[in-house]
Amino acid sequence: MTDSVSEYLDSELQCIDLLECAHGLKELDRTVFRLLVTADEPLTVDDVADGIGRDRSTAYRSISRLLDTGFVTKEQRNYESGGYYYVYQVRESDALAADMQRLLNDWYARMGILIQEFEDTFDSAPDDGRAPVQRDE
């Protein structure tokens, strides 16, 4: 998509772009996320693979990335004859939004600290056209 904050600000972002912007997820992950959001019930890896037209291992890797970010939850279901399988579903949208807001707040605070460090480290450029002077403190 884009490489810098200014490019993100200049682009036509949609809410689904938060998956890439905030968590570095891929187009396939967004497709899986959309599938899980529109599903009437939790889906198995096989359901997801069928829904995206990809093999099971590809679907599982995408689900794993969504699990790692906290966008998706996993629930164990047991067979009556023994054994189990997992189903996956998207977390509640208000919980996801709160998590993304916290991430944004953390990023904003960190950027503020870095900007202050930048100001403290570099003097403004001298009038004679030389490069800014780095202060060693």
Side-chain angles (χ1 to χ4, degrees), residues 2-132:
T2 56
D3 293 324
S4 70
V5 172
S6 60
E7 288 175 316
Y8 270 112
L9 293 173
D10 289 340
S11 65
E12 296 288 325
L13 292 176
Q14 299 177 11
C15 65
I16 195 71
D17 294 323
L18 287 170
L19 297 175
E20 178 182 350
C21 180
H23 294 284
L25 297 177
K26 303 173 182 183
E27 180 62 36
L28 177 62
D29 304 327
R30 292 188 286 184
T31 300
V32 170
F33 181 82
R34 283 187 196 102
L35 178 67
L36 291 168
V37 165
T38 59
D40 294 331
E41 59 188 10
L43 301 177
T44 65
V45 171
D46 291 328
D47 295 332
V48 171
D50 290 344
I52 63 172
R54 304 289 285 270
D55 61 74
R56 188 178 199 285
S57 63
T58 300
Y60 182 75
R61 281 191 302 274
S62 183
I63 290 170
S64 293
R65 285 189 294 271
L66 291 168
L67 281 166
D68 289 345
T69 62
F71 281 100
V72 170
T73 62
K74 173 172 80 170
E75 180 184 330
Q76 180 178 312
R77 301 269 173 97
N78 298 318
Y79 293 111
E80 286 186 22
S81 59
Y84 62 90
Y85 62 99
Y86 291 106
V87 293
Y88 304 89
Q89 63 185 1
V90 173
R91 288 180 50 218
E92 294 293 323
S93 62
D94 57 343
L96 293 177
D99 287 350
M100 285 188 280
Q101 186 64 58
R102 276 190 294 280
L103 180 65
L104 177 61
N105 292 345
D106 292 347
W107 181 84
Y108 186 78
R110 180 66 180 136
M111 291 302 104
I113 291 168
L114 290 174
I115 289 168
Q116 186 61 54
E117 286 177 14
F118 185 87
E119 277 183 338
D120 294 345
T121 302
F122 296 97
D123 288 331
S124 60
D127 291 335
D128 62 6
R130 292 182 292 146

